[in-house]
Amino acid sequence: MGVVQEVKNGEFVESYSAASLANSNKKVTGSDSLDKDAFLQLLVAQMKYQDPLEPTSNTEYISQYATFSELEQMQNMSASMDLFRASSLVGQTVLLKVTDSAGRTTNVQGNVDYVVYEKNKAYLSVNGDLYSMDDLDTVADPTYLEAYKLAADWLNIYNKLPAYENLTVADREKVEKLDEMYSGMTDYQKEFLKDEEVATMQKYVTKMKDLVAIANAQKESEDDE
């Protein structure tokens, strides 16, 4: 698996993706687990150097091999589950926590575009880069993300309103937009807003109606003259 790294001032700059893949490869190459070939080599060595006066029984050899086979099956099953889980993440929004070689942890958020499988491991493509499944921290629910974004948009308008006593007809569009957005929210989406924020908005809406009514009355009076 190729990794492209930025070069700055003649030195490699470790990207989040490169750090993630490096950590993943380190776990694979530095693993303390034994594969079947390594186990068989140890078994042959044990038979070769055993005490001829007190040889290990065939039953014990069979028990050791059976235990290893069971462990290998469990590892293969775990790997298969990881691959299946990775496939189910395509299209989902995820949060990755990547630790670089200096020990700094950085959050990477984005949608999983596709999954790459290599050496029985899965790698997630997020924001155009590959990351190890080991760095997966959170999978966001689409309903939650929609509610969060809607609340953020609502608060963006809310925070631009003037103080209550300084409210004028010029702020009508903002106030009516807030009221419209809130009315269109589901009960779940409304939970992302504080009660005091909603109460303040309702006060603004009431005052704006009064200001608009006064402005319209003045305009009609001027037209009559």
Side-chain angles (χ1 to χ4, degrees):
M1 181 182 301
V3 177
V4 178
Q5 284 188 251
E6 178 186 358
V7 178
K8 188 174 182 179
N9 296 328
E11 297 181 355
F12 284 112
V13 177
E14 186 178 34
S15 66
Y16 305 141
S17 175
S20 177
L21 299 182
N23 289 335
S24 176
N25 292 333
K26 189 184 301 181
K27 290 180 181 179
V28 173
T29 57
S31 175
D32 294 330
S33 62
L34 296 175
D35 59 14
K36 184 175 293 185
D37 292 337
F39 174 79
L40 291 176
Q41 290 176 8
L42 288 175
L43 189 61
V44 170
Q46 182 181 356
M47 296 175 65
K48 182 178 179 180
Y49 295 105
Q50 67 180 326
D51 186 349
L53 299 179
E54 296 182 3
T56 305
S57 67
N58 292 336
T59 303
E60 187 173 345
Y61 284 131
I62 294 174
S63 177
Q64 291 177 9
Y65 187 77
T67 300
F68 177 80
S69 297
E70 183 179 351
L71 177 61
E72 184 182 38
Q73 289 177 3
M74 291 176 62
Q75 290 175 336
N76 291 338
M77 184 179 297
S78 177
S80 298
M81 290 296 293
D82 286 343
L83 298 182
F84 176 78
R85 184 187 179 204
S87 299
S88 68
L89 294 176
V90 175
Q92 298 289 324
T93 300
V94 298
L95 176 66
L96 305 162
K97 287 191 175 181
V98 182
T99 303
D100 62 18
S101 57
R104 295 184 296 264
T105 300
T106 303
N107 293 331
V108 177
Q109 180 177 321
N111 292 332
V112 179
D113 299 318
Y114 57 88
V115 178
V116 174
Y117 301 102
E118 185 172 306
K119 296 180 181 179
N120 213 30
K121 284 187 67 67
Y123 300 89
L124 309 176
S125 173
V126 179
N127 301 330
D129 293 317
L130 291 178
Y131 295 90
S132 170
M133 273 285 290
D134 296 331
D135 292 322
L136 179 64
D137 181 75
T138 305
V139 181
D141 178 71
T143 304
Y144 169 86
L145 288 176
E146 181 183 2
Y148 182 87
K149 183 180 183 303
L150 187 59
D153 292 342
W154 190 92
L155 287 171
N156 184 47
I157 300 174
Y158 175 87
N159 291 328
K160 291 180 180 178
L161 288 173
Y164 178 78
E165 58 273 13
N166 297 329
L167 190 68
T168 66
V169 178
D171 302 305
R172 179 179 180 180
E173 184 177 350
K174 296 187 185 73
V175 173
E176 290 182 347
K177 182 63 177 177
L178 283 178
D179 189 30
E180 179 186 352
M181 291 176 65
Y182 183 78
S183 298
M185 290 182 181
T186 64
D187 291 339
Y188 174 71
Q189 292 167 343
K190 290 177 180 178
E191 291 177 1
F192 284 69
L193 302 175
K194 296 179 181 179
D195 292 340
E196 55 266 32
E197 292 169 343
V198 175
T200 300
M201 178 209 68
Q202 292 172 341
K203 287 175 57 179
Y204 274 67
V205 170
T206 301
K207 183 174 182 179
M208 182 56 65
K209 289 179 179 178
D210 292 339
L211 292 174
V212 171
I214 293 173
N216 289 338
Q218 291 177 344
K219 187 175 183 303
E220 292 177 0
S221 177
E222 292 173 356
D223 291 341
D224 290 341
E225 294 178 356

